């Protein structure tokens, strides 16, 4: 009897070790699999996140007697109309700005001339100081010539068919996800073996939908208002295409920390292309930075509240991970995916993975098992 129980513990140790190895291998291989299969996984993930965000609109239409298929079509159509309008506001003027970039280079150089002269003077002073102090030879700076990205147009031309296929695939996934949402949710809940399990499943699904939809709707409204305010201020300043810049600010602000930096740099470049004085040229970027500081430190915490607050460290890790896996689209999806995962873990409870694997598994030795069995037998004999 003792030998049988010891063999059972040894088998548990082996199973726990195998589970640990397989789990570690899965975690290590998953990012590379997602990166290699980005043409499939990226539109699928983006479509699922967007579809979850559209579920409240779908349910609102269904409660008013609209059939599921028609409600799905209307929800998807509303989303595509908003996206197309936003892209039209941004892409058409941006094409003109991009075409003007070569002829604006002399103006940019003229505006940056005082800064370049100051930097050159400072660099010469530093070089002389290092030469007089150091005993070695003087280090010479090596200039790296920047070449224009002439292959960008070719890249877009070659990737356009693939992008169109991915977009069509994502649209189909959103539509069929929404069309079968009510049936899918009802079937998932009914397949649970107990009432408590069914209630927990329903609660997890509802929490994920509410958290994702609330976050995306709220942050979209905040970013849209931020872009509108920046657009009006740039219009008052005399900046061409102010609503294009407002749209760029809106989109960039979806990416925490990094997006506002990109928006400020683009606004600074646009100001240098437009105005002659360097102070006036940098004013659009300064306006955006001021408005963004108010939004990030006052408006967003007040509107979102503590319920949708995410740890900044987790946001940075998620941005780094998904940005490495899928680039800019991954960075846009980083916070919604993190919010979905966080909501699931909070609703179901964090799994005790370490206790499951180690407490009676890989960290249990044969001597520990034998001592435990002896103590159990002694207590039963007594």
């Amino acid at each position: 009897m003792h030998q049988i129980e010891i063999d059972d513990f040894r088998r548990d140790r082996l199973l726990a070790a195998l589970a640990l190895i397989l789990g570690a291998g899965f975690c290590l291989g998953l990012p590379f699999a997602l990166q290699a299969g980005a043409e499939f996984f990226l539109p699928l993930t983006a479509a699922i996140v967007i579809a979850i965000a559209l579920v409240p609109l779908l349910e609102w239409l269904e409660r008013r007697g609209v059939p599921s298929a028609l409600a799905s079509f209307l929800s998807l159509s509303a989303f595509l109309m908003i996206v197309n309008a936003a892209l039209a506001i941004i892409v058409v003027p941006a094409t003109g700005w991009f075409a003007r970039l070569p002829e604006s280079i002399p103006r940019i150089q003229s505006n940056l001339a005082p800064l370049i002269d100051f930097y050159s003077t400072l660099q010469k002073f530093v070089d002389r100081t290092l030469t007089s102090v150091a005993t070695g030879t003087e280090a010479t700076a090596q200039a790296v010539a920047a070449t224009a990205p002439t292959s960008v147009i070719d890249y877009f031309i070659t990737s356009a068919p693939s992008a169109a296929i991915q977009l069509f695939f994502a649209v189909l996934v959103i539509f069929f996800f929404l069309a079968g949402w009510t049936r899918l949710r009802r079937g998932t809940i009914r397949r649970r073996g107990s009432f408590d399990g069914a209630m927990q499943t329903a609660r997890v699904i509802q929490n994920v939908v509410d958290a994702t939809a609330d976050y995306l709707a709220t942050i979209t409204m905040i970013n849209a208002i931020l872009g509108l305010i920046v657009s009006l201020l740039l219009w008052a300043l005399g900046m061409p295409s102010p609503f294009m810049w407002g749209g760029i600010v809106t989109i960039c602000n979806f990416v925490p920390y990094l997006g506002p930096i990109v928006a400020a740099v683009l606004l600074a470049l646009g100001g240098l292309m437009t105005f002659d004085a360097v102070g006036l040229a940098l004013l659009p970027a300064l306006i955006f930075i001021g408005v963004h500081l108010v939004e990030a430190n006052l408006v967003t915490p007040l509107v979102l509240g503590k319920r949708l607050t995410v740890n900044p460290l987790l946001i940075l890790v998620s941005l780094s991970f998904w940005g490495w896996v899928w680039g800019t689209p991954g960075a846009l999806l980083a916070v919604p995916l993190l919010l979905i995962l966080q909501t699931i873990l909070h609703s179901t409870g964090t799994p005790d993975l370490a206790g499951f694997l180690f407490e009676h598994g890989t960290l249990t030795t044969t001597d520990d098992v034998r001592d435990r069995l002896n103590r159990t037998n002694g207590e039963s004999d007594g």
Side-chain angles (χ1 to χ4, degrees):
M1 183 65 182
H2 291 179
Q3 185 63 34
I4 293 176
E5 294 187 5
I6 290 176
D7 290 340
D8 290 339
F9 273 98
R10 287 176 177 173
R11 184 168 62 251
D12 291 341
R13 289 178 60 203
L14 178 60
L15 292 176
L18 291 176
L20 179 62
I21 294 172
L22 292 176
F26 176 80
C27 293
L28 292 175
L30 180 62
F32 298 98
L34 293 174
Q35 193 176 47
E39 293 184 357
F40 171 76
F41 291 111
L42 176 57
L44 177 64
T45 305
I48 292 175
V49 172
I50 294 171
I52 292 175
L54 293 176
V55 165
L57 177 59
L58 172 77
E59 294 178 340
W60 183 83
L61 292 173
E62 288 181 342
R63 286 195 298 268
R64 280 149 182 81
V66 180
S68 297
L70 181 58
S72 304
F73 177 78
L74 294 176
S75 301
L76 180 59
S77 299
F79 170 75
L80 292 178
M81 288 176 59
I82 294 174
V83 172
N84 288 333
L87 291 179
I89 293 174
I90 298 173
V91 172
V92 175
T95 304
W97 280 85
F98 185 78
R100 288 173 45 201
L101 182 59
E103 65 184 30
S104 301
I105 291 178
R107 173 175 290 179
I108 296 175
Q109 292 176 341
S110 176
N111 287 332
L112 294 178
L115 297 178
I116 295 175
D117 294 339
F118 173 76
Y119 175 78
S120 300
T121 304
L122 181 62
Q123 184 67 34
K124 292 178 181 178
F125 173 75
V126 173
D127 290 341
R128 288 195 302 267
T129 303
L130 292 177
T131 302
S132 61
V133 173
T135 57
T137 59
E138 179 180 0
T140 58
Q142 297 179 353
V144 179
T147 59
T150 55
S151 61
V152 172
I153 297 178
D154 296 334
Y155 172 76
F156 280 117
I157 291 176
T158 56
S159 64
S162 175
I165 293 174
Q166 294 178 17
L167 179 61
F168 181 70
F169 171 70
V171 170
L172 288 181
V173 171
I174 295 173
F175 174 77
F176 287 112
F177 184 95
L178 293 176
W181 166 254
T182 303
R183 185 170 58 255
L184 176 64
R185 182 183 59 180
R186 186 182 298 115
T188 302
I189 295 174
R190 287 179 176 177
R191 279 193 295 267
R192 305 299 293 179
S194 63
F195 178 77
D196 292 337
M199 292 300 297
Q200 184 181 17
T201 302
R203 183 171 61 253
V204 171
I205 293 175
Q206 193 62 43
N207 289 342
V208 169
V209 170
D210 291 343
T212 305
D214 290 348
Y215 173 80
L216 290 179
T218 305
I219 206 69
T220 300
M221 184 180 299
I222 292 175
N223 292 342
I225 295 175
L226 173 68
L228 180 60
I229 293 175
V230 172
S231 300
L232 295 177
L233 292 176
L234 294 181
W235 173 77
L237 186 63
M239 186 86 165
S241 306
F243 291 101
M244 178 202 73
W245 293 110
I248 292 175
V249 165
T250 300
I251 294 178
C252 289
N253 210 47
F254 277 98
V255 181
Y257 309 125
L258 300 179
I261 296 176
V262 173
V265 171
L266 292 177
L267 281 170
L269 179 61
L272 292 172
M273 293 173 59
T274 303
F275 302 105
D276 294 328
V278 63
L280 187 61
L282 296 179
L283 192 55
L286 296 177
I287 289 175
F288 163 70
I289 292 174
V291 177
H292 170 69
L293 289 176
V294 175
E295 173 266 324
N297 296 283
L298 181 62
V299 177
T300 299
L302 182 63
V303 174
L304 288 180
K306 296 181 179 180
R307 189 170 63 89
L308 295 177
T309 302
V310 184
N311 191 319
L313 178 60
L314 293 179
I315 292 178
L316 288 177
V317 173
S318 183
L319 283 173
S320 301
F321 177 79
W322 292 110
W324 168 65
V325 173
W326 288 333
T328 302
L332 290 172
L333 293 172
V335 177
L337 291 175
L338 177 62
L339 187 64
I340 291 174
L341 179 60
Q342 178 178 276
T343 304
I344 293 175
L345 292 178
H346 285 178
S347 300
T348 61
T350 305
D352 187 11
L353 182 61
F356 173 75
L357 292 177
F358 299 138
E359 184 178 1
H360 302 297
T362 53
L363 296 185
T364 303
T365 63
T366 305
D367 294 336
D368 295 335
V369 173
R370 187 179 295 109
D371 293 340
R372 190 181 306 145
L373 290 174
N374 292 333
R375 287 195 302 269
T376 302
N377 292 332
E379 293 175 356
S380 61
D381 294 340

